[in-house]
Amino acid sequence: MPAAESLLHDPAMRPRRFVAGGPLRGTIKVPGDKSISHRAVMFGALAVGETRVTGLLEGEDVMATADAMRAMGATIRRDDNGTWYINGVGVGGLLQPDRALEMGNSGTSTRLLMGLIASHGITATFTGDASLSKRPMGRVIDPLAQMGTAFTATPGPNGSQTLPLMIRGAAPAVPITYRLPVASAQVKSAILLAGLNTPGVTTVIEPIPTRDHSERMLTGFGADLTVEEQDGERVIRIRGEAELKPQTIEVPGDPSSAAFFIVAALIVPGSDLVIENVGLNPTRAGLVEVLRAMGGRIEEINPRIVGGEPVADLRVCHSPLHGITVDPAVAPSMIDEFPVLFVAAALAEGRTVTAGLDELRVKESDRLAVMATALSSIGVAVEEREDGLVIHGSGGARLPGGTGTAVATHLDHRIAMSMAVAGLASDAGVEVDDTRPIATSFPNFEALLDGLAQ
């Protein structure tokens, strides 16, 4: 898959055309789970003593989290074997940063760190790249402000609050009970992290369950945290002024990164691929179940528990797929995987209908609009609705591909990787306008793909 010649004038952009090759065969490992990596760094930086982490995702987003924790007093280093050592400052011990916290493209870093700082008596300024600076922060600001934290944000479109943003933590903060108005693991986690240094009990009520890495890992670090089911809702309580204990953490492979290779193996004829050490937390495994419902052959090998998280090796074989109506209730367990699911749907027999995906409009890009435009440009029949897409599949036939303008990725790593996968099942290939954003979550994506698709 040779890189395309640039059709763009910005010399910093890295366009590339992804084209069909042979079947995907062999065994690969994907990078460590991004959500778990962020939390391992943050919680290790709040523990007293040395936390050791293996398998940490070394993408730009997680490195932004590490840099921020260093700026607030933690010592973080990596040895030559890839093990990370984090010496923390203790809950309540964060230091005043002497510079703005640069978040790059990482919404997770920004929102979770806002929660951490919210109950510490320090002031910090958050900055980010052009994409992150457009993303709304109000859903995190609202509950943290109820705890006593003060914010000065940049006004955005439609009354939104965006970066650059200054936060002045409350010491002491006030515990709250907060029912999430939308399903968001980032908002939930931000409140729980603020609760770590808040006297009393902070409570979050989830009408719809979201990924639970924060609850699992905080419990592992020794936080006094409970989860109960009440009237069909999850009620999470954390007792503040916690003392976290250092841990040894093995980060499983990121299911959101594995998703691109799962779909690629399903849609490229002759493929038989094993993806090792994939995290299968039930709050993250929605894509696997949806693809199985579409006819995908995905086998779990050697299922096991690693660091409190369910893990397995996945064997994925090329499969004829058929369209389905995706239950909106599954959306929180695969919210980041919908762009590549849309690609799988484009190769399926019949129609795939998705709904309840309003959250995708406020990700790194408006992923519904961007994917609808991108897929249409390579010959896929797509209907864009307010909260989802309807995709009419090719029945397994290769997609026409793109022969004109490169697909606009809008600085969104998941758009770039999803359209790269689409190129593997196209006649003319698919050119994406910029592969640089891929490094935020999956630095070796292209190298892995090149090694398989010969």
Side-chain angles (χ1 to χ4, degrees):
M1 289 184 294
E5 292 183 4
S6 176
L7 301 177
L8 305 172
H9 299 297
D10 181 354
M13 297 180 77
R14 289 206 301 265
R16 176 169 176 174
R17 180 172 295 277
F18 294 87
V19 300
L24 280 65
R25 294 179 177 273
T27 299
I28 63 169
K29 281 187 176 181
V30 297
D33 186 286
K34 184 151 72 97
S35 296
I36 295 174
S37 293
H38 279 301
R39 288 159 174 82
V41 171
M42 290 184 195
F43 302 167
L46 289 177
V48 177
E50 184 172 83
T51 291
R52 298 186 181 191
V53 185
T54 56
L56 189 83
L57 171 63
E58 297 181 6
E60 293 172 357
D61 283 10
V62 176
M63 294 301 100
T65 293
D67 286 344
M69 298 314 300
R70 288 188 185 103
M72 292 186 285
T75 301
I76 303 173
R77 64 182 179 87
R78 178 191 189 276
D79 70 16
D80 293 340
N81 296 319
T83 299
W84 288 78
Y85 301 86
I86 305 165
N87 286 275
V89 297
V91 173
L94 293 181
L95 303 180
Q96 173 70 44
D98 62 2
R99 60 183 185 274
L101 304 180
E102 171 53 52
M103 297 290 97
N105 190 242
S106 183
T108 302
S109 301
T110 306
R111 293 182 174 123
L112 269 60
L113 288 169
M114 286 167 63
L116 275 187
I117 293 170
S119 57
H120 286 74
I122 62 177
T123 299
T125 298
F126 289 91
T127 58
D129 68 9
S131 172
L132 181 61
S133 297
K134 295 177 182 176
R135 298 180 67 180
M137 296 295 156
R139 63 177 58 177
V140 177
I141 290 173
D142 290 346
L144 297 181
Q146 292 179 31
M147 299 179 77
T149 309
F151 295 89
T152 304
T154 301
N158 304 314
S160 63
Q161 297 170 284
T162 63
L163 301 188
L165 174 153
M166 185 172 71
I167 176 173
R168 292 181 294 278
V174 179
I176 62 171
T177 296
Y178 190 79
R179 176 177 275 102
L180 294 177
V182 296
S184 172
Q186 291 181 357
V187 177
K188 171 182 66 176
S189 297
I191 299 167
L192 294 176
L193 298 189
L196 275 175
N197 197 42
T198 299
V201 176
T202 297
T203 303
V204 180
I205 302 171
E206 274 194 315
I208 300 172
T210 64
R211 60 183 65 177
D212 64 355
H213 301 304
S214 290
E215 297 95 302
R216 289 173 183 255
M217 192 176 290
L218 282 169
T219 300
F221 271 88
D224 184 355
L225 183 147
T226 62
V227 181
E228 294 181 302
E229 295 285 341
Q230 294 182 2
D231 301 322
E233 298 179 323
R234 291 178 82 237
V235 180
I236 307 141
R237 297 182 178 91
I238 188 166
R239 184 171 295 279
E241 299 178 303
E243 182 176 333
L244 301 188
K245 299 176 178 61
Q247 301 295 306
T248 298
I249 298 171
E250 181 182 348
V251 180
D254 195 324
S256 296
S257 296
F260 301 103
F261 287 91
I262 293 171
V263 170
L266 290 175
I267 65 175
V268 174
S271 295
D272 186 345
L273 182 65
V274 174
I275 309 170
E276 293 183 328
N277 196 45
V278 179
L280 293 177
N281 183 306
T283 64
R284 296 282 303 282
L287 178 69
V288 171
E289 297 309 316
V290 168
L291 290 172
R292 283 173 174 158
M294 296 173 71
R297 292 174 55 199
I298 306 172
E299 177 186 357
E300 294 177 26
I301 303 170
N302 188 23
R304 54 204 184 272
I305 300 295
V306 176
E309 295 276 348
V311 170
D313 305 330
L314 298 181
R315 182 184 180 192
V316 188
C317 299
H318 171 250
S319 308
L321 303 177
H322 56 82
I324 63 170
T325 296
V326 180
D327 184 352
V330 80
S333 67
M334 57 174 292
I335 196 66
D336 287 329
E337 289 76 75
F338 274 98
V340 78
L341 175 68
F342 297 149
V343 173
L347 275 296
E349 179 73 41
R351 189 175 76 149
T352 297
V353 180
T354 63
L357 305 182
D358 312 75
E359 176 76 6
L360 290 187
R361 295 206 182 273
V362 292
K363 288 287 188 176
E364 283 85 336
S365 66
D366 179 341
R367 287 179 174 164
L368 291 179
V370 172
M371 283 301 295
T373 299
L375 290 171
S376 296
S377 74
I378 64 168
V380 180
V382 184
E383 303 170 37
E384 182 182 349
R385 297 180 177 175
E386 184 175 349
D387 65 343
L389 300 184
V390 178
I391 297 175
H392 301 265
S394 70
R398 279 186 177 181
L399 304 175
T403 57
T405 304
V407 168
T409 57
H410 296 269
L411 298 175
D412 191 325
H413 55 130
R414 300 203 192 279
I415 301 297
M417 288 185 281
S418 296
M419 296 311 296
V421 170
L424 304 183
S426 69
D427 286 327
V430 173
E431 184 176 355
V432 300
D433 65 348
D434 195 0
T435 59
R436 290 175 303 166
I438 292 172
T440 64
S441 67
F442 202 157
N444 64 332
F445 170 78
E446 292 178 83
L448 272 182
L449 200 60
D450 290 347
L452 290 170
Q454 301 296 332

